[in-house]
Amino acid sequence: MGILSGNPKDEPMHYGEIFGVWQFSAKAKMTLSALQAYHYHAGDQDLKKIIDDLMDQAQREIKECDKLLKTSGVFPTPTLPDRPSTKLADIPAGARFSDPEIAAALSAGVAMSLVECSQIMGMSIREDVGALFMKIHAAMASLGLALLRINKQKGWLIPPPLQLKRQEPVPV
């Protein structure tokens, strides 16, 4: 097999893997900044706990992706500065995100991360790259489930139209 045999970490990444990892790292850095803002806006303590878990996950993603990029000789995007601390009461009511808005945005972000991870796993030929995104995918799926539960418990979930009655089959 030549260049693609042996230890996957010694194999070069192809351009799709490089861009996927670079883009995911950039997204994680922007997400971390947004999560910091959401943390200041959130009033619900259960929601704040999930935001903390998502921030920890984003920091792990940044560390692992940037390490992989640097090892391959690719410069990752710069990290955004931390947001200044503020209290919920100091945020004007018209500028404040509500807890249901935050939970919906977090749910959408987790769903997008699952798709991104699947895409990178599908294009990867380096086993360590695929395994990294499989690990991130599993962590995000777990966080997504926690978000779904809190959305249901708090009454924040806006479901699509539900089929309450099954239609009678029509003979054709």
Side-chain angles (χ1 to χ4, degrees):
M1 271 187 355
I3 198 166
L4 298 178
S5 60
N7 185 351
K9 293 181 181 182
D10 295 333
E11 297 173 1
M13 287 198 294
H14 64 72
Y15 289 111
E17 289 169 325
I18 291 169
F19 183 72
V21 173
W22 183 89
Q23 184 180 27
F24 200 86
S25 170
K27 187 242 357 151
K29 291 170 183 172
M30 289 181 265
T31 297
L32 183 58
S33 179
L35 289 169
Q36 289 171 349
Y38 289 151
H39 194 271
Y40 299 136
H41 286 247
D44 186 89
Q45 293 306 310
D46 295 330
L47 183 58
K48 281 185 173 243
K49 170 70 172 96
I50 290 178
I51 294 170
D52 288 337
D53 293 344
L54 285 165
M55 284 194 288
D56 291 343
Q57 177 62 27
Q59 289 167 340
R60 281 191 295 277
E61 292 168 5
I62 292 165
K63 181 181 173 188
E64 292 175 350
C65 289
D66 285 2
K67 180 181 174 188
L68 191 57
L69 290 169
K70 289 174 186 173
T71 302
S72 296
V74 177
F75 291 103
T77 61
T79 303
L80 298 170
D82 286 338
R83 289 185 176 265
S85 181
T86 190
K87 294 181 178 161
L88 181 62
D90 295 337
I91 303 170
R96 190 177 329 163
F97 287 110
S98 68
D99 290 343
E101 287 176 300
I102 294 168
L106 297 177
S107 297
V110 167
M112 286 188 291
S113 287
L114 293 171
V115 171
E116 289 173 307
C117 287
S118 295
Q119 185 178 20
I120 296 168
M121 286 187 294
M123 80 164 86
S124 294
I125 59 173
R126 265 186 52 171
E127 296 158 25
D128 61 326
V129 173
L132 170 62
F133 284 93
M134 184 169 42
K135 181 176 81 171
I136 294 170
H137 189 281
M140 294 307 289
S142 176
L143 289 164
L145 181 59
L147 270 166
L148 177 60
R149 286 184 179 140
I150 192 173
N151 275 312
K152 285 181 173 182
Q153 290 170 353
K154 306 286 180 174
W156 298 337
L157 182 67
I158 301 170
L162 302 174
Q163 182 181 11
L164 301 176
K165 264 188 178 177
R166 295 216 181 253
Q167 298 288 332
E168 291 292 323
V170 178
V172 182

